[in-house]
């Protein structure tokens, strides 16, 4: 009996080994074309609605082994009625399988963004090979394909250069901040609001953009630039945020690590500060959800970076006056952000979410017409900016 049971178990193991044959869709690495970036443009007809351009890494040129002295990336474009059909069309141009598992950048044209991007995001979320943490951008006034065909100074792969530019500006001097595909999907689902997406464009000579000749000058002929924030209502682009409106929007999202702030002095010049710590919180008074009052509370810490004047920076009174001016400047920037959002009738600032957390029952009463409530609700400001230090010295040498 024991021998019979043993034989049955052995036979079962042999059958299972036949079934367990490994990954059915396995593709060897040397048969894959690694895609670093994807550009999505709107075609001229419904038959070619999606125009996808894939930035493919030429591994031999990156590693240096067996280098042929050609471009480190190649660009292949496919068209189709759907994104999947466009991908299939592009695959006919390559000798390897297009691999989406390493995409770092997705660039969508402004024309497509104004029409709506929800169908694009559905594909990206559904496809198992794509990465939802890929950075997403909207082009400003030019085809997305041009961004994928621009050679850059600091990286052989243009998509990597774009990501590194965004990381630099988000940590230091700019109002742009990292926005991945899954962030955009969550933004579209916000009732009465939408996502914020970084803008990107190229400046200079477009004819030289795809050639290394553009990089042989001290001043590159073509520069890839991250600038502006694309403001959405649901999945449609409504307009661009720049300057104070963009900075105030980033502040309300608590996305800025540090940024410069300037105020005028009494002598007509400018004093520069580095805001290196900023926290914004929203408080809601919602006894009447149809007329809520949003209180924007701002706390910041600053360091004085530039003061070419005769101010006595050892005086507490002078520093208090400068702090008051900085506070007014920050409030002005956030007011500009609120004004822009109300103009677009899109609550991408998150005021409705704050109301929902504070008063869920009240939110149910207004969620279907929140965009009207948002444009008229009361907004108050409580701001406090503290100047912590003046860096390596106190008063300027100009006062001696």
């Amino acid at each position: 009996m024991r021998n019979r049971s043993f034989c049955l178990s052995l036979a079962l193991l042999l059958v299972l080994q036949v079934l367990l044959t490994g990954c059915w869709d396995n593709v060897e690495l040397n048969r894959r074309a690694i895609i670093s970036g994807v550009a999505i443009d709107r075609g001229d007809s419904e038959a070619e609605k999606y125009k996808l351009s894939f930035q493919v890494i030429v591994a031999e040129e990156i590693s240096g082994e067996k280098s042929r002295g050609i471009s480190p990336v190649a660009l292949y474009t496919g068209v189709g009625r759907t994104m999947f059909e466009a991908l299939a069309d592009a695959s006919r141009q390559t000798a390897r399988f297009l691999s989406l598992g390493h995409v770092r950048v997705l660039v969508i044209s402004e024309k497509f963004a104004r029409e709506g991007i929800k169908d694009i995001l559905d594909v990206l979320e559904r496809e198992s090979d794509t990465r939802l943490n890929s950075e997403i951008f909207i082009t400003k006034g030019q085809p997305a394909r041009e961004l994928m065909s621009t050679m850059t100074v600091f990286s052989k792969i243009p998509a990597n250069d774009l990501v590194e530019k965004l990381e630099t500006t988000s940590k230091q001097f700019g109002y742009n901040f990292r926005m991945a595909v899954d962030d955009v999907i969550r933004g579209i689902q916000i009732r009465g609001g939408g996502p914020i997406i970084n803008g990107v464009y190229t400046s200079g000579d477009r004819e030289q953009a795809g050639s290394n000749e553009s990089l042989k000058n001290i001043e590159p002929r073509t520069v890839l630039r991250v600038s502006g924030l694309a403001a959405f209502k649901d999945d449609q682009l409504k307009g661009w945020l720049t300057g104070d409106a963009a900075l105030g929007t980033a502040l309300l999202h608590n996305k800025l690590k540090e940024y410069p702030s300037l105020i005028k002095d009494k002598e007509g010049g400018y004093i520069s500060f580095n805001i290196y710590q900023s926290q914004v919180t929203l408080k809601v008074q919602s006894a009447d959800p149809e007329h809520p009052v949003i209180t924007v509370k701002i706390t910041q810490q600053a360091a004085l970076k530039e003061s070419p004047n005769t101010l006595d920076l050892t005086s507490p009174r002078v520093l208090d006056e400068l702090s008051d001016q900085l506070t007014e400047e920050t409030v002005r920037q956030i007011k500009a952000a609120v004004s822009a959002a109300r103009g677009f009738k899109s609550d991408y600032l998150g005021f409705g979410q704050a109301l929902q957390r504070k008063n869920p029952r009240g939110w149910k009463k207004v969620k279907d017409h929140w965009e009207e409530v948002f444009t008229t609700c009361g907004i108050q400001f409580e701001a406090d900016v503290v100047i912590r230090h003046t860096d390596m010295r106190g008063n300027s040498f100009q006062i001696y």
Side-chain angles (χ1 to χ4, degrees):
M1 191 63 149
R2 179 178 294 180
N3 290 337
R4 183 179 179 183
S5 178
F6 174 78
C7 291
L8 288 173
S9 299
L10 182 61
L12 181 60
L13 287 173
L14 291 173
V15 171
L16 289 175
Q17 285 181 354
V18 174
L19 297 175
L20 299 175
T21 56
C23 297
W24 64 272
D25 60 347
N26 179 60
V27 178
E28 296 296 330
L29 186 60
N30 62 358
R31 295 289 297 135
R32 288 183 179 273
I34 304 301
I35 299 172
S36 57
V38 179
I40 306 173
D41 285 297
R42 179 64 162 92
D44 296 328
S45 65
E46 289 301 311
E48 297 183 352
K49 179 178 180 179
Y50 293 90
K51 186 179 292 185
L52 270 61
S53 301
F54 301 93
Q55 186 182 104
V56 178
I57 298 174
V58 183
E60 293 85 355
E61 300 302 316
I62 298 297
S63 64
E65 299 178 5
K66 301 179 182 179
S67 175
R68 293 172 290 170
I70 63 175
S71 172
V73 294
L75 198 67
Y76 295 97
T77 301
V79 296
R81 293 164 294 180
T82 66
M83 286 183 62
F84 192 76
E85 187 176 49
L87 174 62
D89 182 52
S91 69
R92 300 189 186 101
Q93 307 169 41
T94 67
R96 298 182 181 180
F97 295 94
L98 294 176
S99 177
L100 297 169
H102 297 275
V103 173
R104 299 195 69 189
V105 168
L106 290 158
V107 182
I108 302 174
S109 68
E110 180 175 356
K111 182 179 179 181
F112 224 142
R114 291 191 180 277
E115 184 175 320
I117 62 173
K118 61 183 179 182
D119 293 342
I120 295 173
L121 296 173
D122 177 77
V123 175
L124 298 175
E125 188 179 38
R126 192 178 301 276
E127 175 57 50
S128 60
D129 284 346
T130 59
R131 299 166 58 181
L132 294 181
N133 61 350
S134 300
E135 302 293 339
I136 188 167
F137 296 85
I138 304 295
T139 60
K140 296 181 70 174
Q142 64 185 132
R145 187 180 188 277
E146 293 185 359
L147 278 298
M148 290 291 103
S149 59
T150 301
M151 301 299 291
T152 57
V153 173
F154 292 105
S155 178
K156 292 183 178 181
I157 304 173
N160 290 353
D161 183 82
L162 193 54
V163 173
E164 290 164 7
K165 278 185 171 72
L166 181 58
E167 290 177 349
T168 300
T169 189
S170 67
K171 291 179 180 179
Q172 205 163 17
F173 296 125
Y175 49 70
N176 295 90
F177 52 92
R178 302 193 65 173
M179 182 64 64
V181 173
D182 55 346
D183 297 319
V184 175
I185 292 173
R186 287 195 296 269
I188 289 177
Q189 294 174 333
I190 297 174
R191 183 66 67 94
I196 294 292
I197 304 179
N198 291 295
V200 63
Y201 69 100
T202 57
S203 63
D205 186 0
R206 279 299 318 162
E207 293 183 0
Q208 295 285 336
S211 170
N212 279 329
E213 296 297 321
S214 170
L215 309 179
K216 291 182 178 180
N217 301 311
I218 293 178
E219 183 178 358
R221 295 179 182 176
T222 310
V223 178
L224 196 59
R225 298 179 181 272
V226 179
S227 180
L229 296 176
F232 280 70
K233 174 67 180 297
D234 298 325
D235 73 319
Q236 294 181 327
L237 173 64
K238 292 301 181 182
W240 291 96
L241 303 173
T242 57
D244 291 334
L247 183 58
T249 300
L251 286 171
L252 282 164
H253 282 276
N254 286 310
K255 293 295 186 179
L256 294 183
K257 296 185 182 297
E258 57 181 284
Y259 69 96
S261 183
L262 274 63
I263 60 175
K264 280 189 175 181
D265 64 24
K266 296 178 180 179
E267 300 175 7
Y270 286 93
I271 306 174
S272 300
F273 294 85
N274 181 41
I275 309 295
Y276 62 87
Q277 185 171 326
S278 178
Q279 182 67 37
V280 177
T281 56
L282 301 178
K283 295 183 178 180
V284 182
Q285 300 175 27
S286 58
D288 179 5
E290 293 287 348
H291 302 89
V293 177
I294 312 292
T295 300
V296 181
K297 186 176 182 180
I298 312 145
T299 56
Q300 293 181 327
Q301 295 185 27
L304 191 146
K305 288 292 184 181
E306 193 176 359
S307 181
N309 50 53
T310 58
L311 290 176
D312 182 8
L313 298 176
T314 63
S315 169
R317 181 184 60 80
V318 172
L319 292 178
D320 286 342
E321 290 177 355
L322 294 177
S323 294
D324 291 341
Q325 287 181 264
L326 275 177
T327 300
E328 292 174 2
E329 180 69 8
T330 299
V331 170
R332 186 182 64 81
Q333 291 163 346
I334 293 182
K335 283 182 177 179
V338 173
S339 177
R342 284 178 161 177
F344 296 136
K345 294 185 177 180
S346 175
D347 181 20
Y348 49 77
L349 302 177
F351 288 3
Q353 290 177 300
L355 173 61
Q356 185 179 12
R357 290 191 296 268
K358 175 68 176 180
N359 187 353
R361 290 185 178 179
W363 169 251
K364 291 180 180 180
K365 297 178 181 179
V366 300
K367 66 179 183 179
D368 292 332
H369 60 282
W370 172 245
E371 61 182 32
E372 287 82 10
V373 177
F374 169 66
T375 57
T376 58
C377 66
I379 299 179
Q380 301 175 348
F381 298 91
E382 296 179 3
D384 180 33
V385 182
V386 179
I387 300 173
R388 288 299 184 192
H389 56 83
T390 58
D391 270 3
M392 299 298 291
R393 67 175 298 143
N395 289 328
S396 169
F397 68 89
Q398 299 184 49
I399 72 171
Y400 297 109

